[in-house]
Amino acid sequence: MTLVCGWLLYGWIVAVQTKTKKTLAKPNIRNVVVVDGVRTPFLLSGTSYKDLMPHDLARAALTGLLHRTSVPKEVVDYIIFGTVIQEVKTSNVAREAALGAGFSDKTPAHTVTMACISANQAMTTGVGLIASGQCDVIVAGGVELMSDIPIRHSRKMRKLMLDLNKAKSMGQRLSLISKFRLNFLAPELPAVAEFSTSETMGHSADRLAAAFAVSRLEQDEYALRSHSLAKKAQDEGLLSDVVPFRVPGKDTVTKDNGIRPSSLEQMAKLKPAFIKPYGTVTAANSSFLTDGASAMLIMAEEKALAMGYKPKAYLRDFMYVSQDPKDQLLLGPTYATPKVLEKAGLTMNDIDAFEFHEAFSGQILANFKAMDSDWFAENYMGRKTKVGLPPLEKFNNWGGSLSLGHPFGATGCRLVMAAANRLRKEGGQYGLVAACAAGGQGHAMIVEAYPK
């Protein structure tokens, strides 16, 4: 009888151990947790947020986070926000948003920029501050307002205006004015293009899709999947990180407005957006210009527990990579994924939820093909074997940037919260977040579900 009971107990222990994978806690390093995270609804640029400024959106995200978590403002040690196209009046948008949201003027705040992984950089900067013992409580987030971007005078016009400002006499002013030409008035528009190559990201995505033989139909099918899954998640109330925002002088915005499931027939009618007439990247299989902001409450685990919080997830190992910005601009996830998995001692099979940034369908599918290629791994990555393909049934199950939207500076936090919320909902333990960024850079991070 004792022997039978012993074997039954042993079998129960083994069963429990196989269900629960190892934790990624490291000796002598503080555990960093996500208490919760929120975001404003992500909207197509030129819609309900068009009359706002970036700090208005960032303030809304901060206010939403305060309401969601009830964290006392005075316990927040530091605030970090990411943004890409800066409003010149509020270049340190983190500080202006924090003051607007009622945080103490004694709480420092700074703004980071790293293209589409700016919010990722804000988060990992916060992780570093906590892990090193400098801080206990960090708010990290990001914001982008594409409805109102800085448009500059031409260089010649700017120089003329500055010189006029310095002119001391009427004669000097008249002499300068005589040099004015009509072409000085041509404005300088910001472009989503690489400074080092002068190539737009869409053009690069089109070339990348062609290099990996990704067809137009494959791209349209993937985009339709993204929009369909996002619509399903929205209808089922799974996008719980979205907080309502009452736009001054307008109605309250409660949900993302870029989710638009179409049909392959309708999508096929669109013309190429970048390489004409034979390109495969269109408006339907690309992410759209988006306004939005996000914010997350990150703490040292012991601090969160002492304050009575039940965290959602641990932020574990992360990795930044960079490669050739011309031919490998959007392959950041392919390079970052194996490195972060090896750093954490995990394999692709250990990951329960994948959340990758979707800049373009072609970019996602090209990364899939690169990750599934022994030849690419050997010739470009210095690896003996391929990275491996993320199972589609675990991949971006609640939609992605193609459908939910992509405010450049804010997407990183959305990815992490999607992974954390999916792990809780689906009962998984590990999530892998990855994103590409301008400059040929990329980021990947392991998110571990907090034990229930």
Side-chain angles (χ1 to χ4, degrees):
M1 183 69 178
T2 306
L3 185 63
V4 171
C5 289
W7 275 108
L8 285 172
L9 179 62
Y10 173 75
W12 176 81
I13 291 171
V14 169
V16 169
Q17 285 176 338
T18 53
K19 284 180 184 176
T20 305
K21 303 167 190 168
K22 65 176 183 179
T23 181
L24 296 182
K26 292 189 170 125
N28 304 319
I29 294 181
R30 301 173 95 191
N31 281 327
V32 181
V33 297
V34 177
V35 173
D36 213 335
V38 303
R39 62 182 178 90
T40 67
F42 286 178
L43 302 189
L44 291 149
S45 65
T47 56
S48 295
Y49 297 155
K50 65 182 180 181
D51 296 323
L52 301 177
M53 289 179 67
H55 75 282
D56 294 319
L57 280 179
R59 181 180 64 221
L62 288 173
T63 303
L65 186 68
L66 291 171
H67 288 160
R68 173 72 60 89
T69 63
S70 300
V71 65
K73 297 189 190 86
E74 62 274 11
V75 306
V76 176
D77 298 313
Y78 208 101
I79 297 169
I80 312 163
F81 259 64
T83 197
V84 179
I85 300 179
Q86 293 182 332
E87 162 60 55
V88 292
K89 292 179 181 176
T90 56
S91 56
N92 187 3
V93 71
R95 176 64 169 169
E96 305 307 333
L99 292 173
F103 283 89
S104 166
D105 57 12
K106 303 294 189 292
T107 304
H110 81 267
T111 302
V112 296
T113 188
M114 200 174 179
C116 302
I117 51 176
S118 295
N120 309 62
Q121 185 57 253
M123 283 186 288
T124 57
T125 300
V127 169
L129 287 170
I130 293 172
S132 64
Q134 302 302 310
C135 298
D136 290 325
V137 182
I138 298 278
V139 171
V143 63
E144 209 69 41
L145 185 77
M146 296 303 292
S147 289
D148 183 27
I149 53 177
I151 298 173
R152 303 203 300 180
H153 280 294
S154 68
R155 186 74 180 256
K156 289 178 180 178
M157 190 65 190
R158 298 200 306 270
K159 186 175 184 301
L160 179 64
M161 292 167 75
L162 290 169
D163 288 344
L164 273 170
N165 196 44
K166 294 175 187 173
K168 292 183 170 60
S169 67
M170 182 60 71
Q172 286 177 332
R173 292 190 188 96
L174 290 172
S175 175
L176 286 166
I177 290 170
S178 70
K179 296 176 183 177
F180 170 77
R181 299 292 181 270
L182 273 177
N183 64 1
F184 286 17
L185 295 176
E188 283 184 8
L189 299 170
V192 185
E194 289 298 302
F195 182 79
S196 60
T197 66
S198 299
E199 185 178 38
T200 65
M201 193 171 277
H203 196 284
S204 183
D206 221 326
R207 286 197 304 107
L208 189 69
F212 282 92
V214 180
S215 70
R216 164 76 180 268
L217 178 60
E218 286 176 304
Q219 292 175 62
D220 286 352
E221 286 174 341
Y222 182 84
L224 183 58
R225 173 189 187 269
S226 180
H227 280 272
S228 300
L229 289 175
K231 184 71 168 70
K232 183 173 182 288
Q234 190 179 65
D235 290 346
E236 293 177 3
L238 298 176
L239 306 179
S240 58
D241 55 335
V242 178
V243 291
F245 175 35
R246 187 178 182 282
V247 182
K250 297 184 181 179
D251 294 335
T252 299
V253 180
T254 59
K255 61 183 183 178
D256 308 319
N257 72 356
I259 302 172
R260 297 175 179 179
S262 181
S263 68
L264 291 174
E265 292 73 28
Q266 288 297 111
M267 296 167 83
K269 293 177 183 177
L270 293 181
K271 293 181 179 178
F274 300 99
I275 298 180
K276 301 170 183 178
Y278 303 114
T280 56
V281 174
T282 70
N285 58 42
S286 308
S287 57
F288 48 87
L289 296 179
T290 314
D291 301 334
S294 56
M296 287 169 45
L297 182 59
I298 305 172
M299 289 189 180
E301 182 182 23
E302 67 270 20
K303 181 72 171 181
L305 296 179
M307 293 184 67
Y309 287 114
K310 183 65 188 289
K312 285 199 168 181
Y314 293 106
L315 295 182
R316 296 303 196 188
D317 291 290
F318 59 86
M319 179 67 67
Y320 287 94
V321 296
S322 59
Q323 52 277 335
D324 172 24
K326 183 166 178 63
D327 292 325
Q328 301 189 50
L329 178 70
L330 303 169
L331 289 177
T334 297
Y335 283 88
T337 294
K339 290 186 176 182
V340 80
L341 287 173
E342 286 162 12
K343 195 175 181 185
L346 300 175
T347 68
M348 291 288 270
N349 291 334
D350 293 315
I351 304 301
D352 302 298
F354 292 87
E355 284 293 331
F356 279 29
H357 163 49
E358 302 169 344
F360 304 89
S361 288
Q363 160 255 330
I364 287 287
L365 298 174
N367 273 276
F368 281 0
K369 293 200 174 189
M371 294 170 85
D372 200 34
S373 167
D374 285 315
W375 182 88
F376 187 87
E378 189 175 338
N379 288 276
Y380 283 92
M381 302 176 69
R383 296 174 56 85
K384 292 180 181 177
T385 56
K386 63 188 179 183
V387 177
L389 197 60
L392 209 55
E393 65 271 15
K394 296 181 180 179
F395 192 88
N396 290 13
N397 288 3
W398 295 354
S401 300
L402 287 171
S403 48
L404 300 170
H406 172 41
F408 300 148
T411 288
C413 290
R414 179 193 67 75
L415 293 171
V416 168
M417 288 315 304
N421 289 330
R422 277 183 57 200
L423 290 173
R424 284 172 70 88
K425 176 77 173 173
E426 298 163 7
Q429 186 174 0
Y430 296 126
L432 173 60
V433 169
C436 58
Q441 305 197 101
H443 174 252
M445 176 190 273
I446 302 294
V447 178
E448 182 181 348
Y450 200 84
K452 288 185 179 178

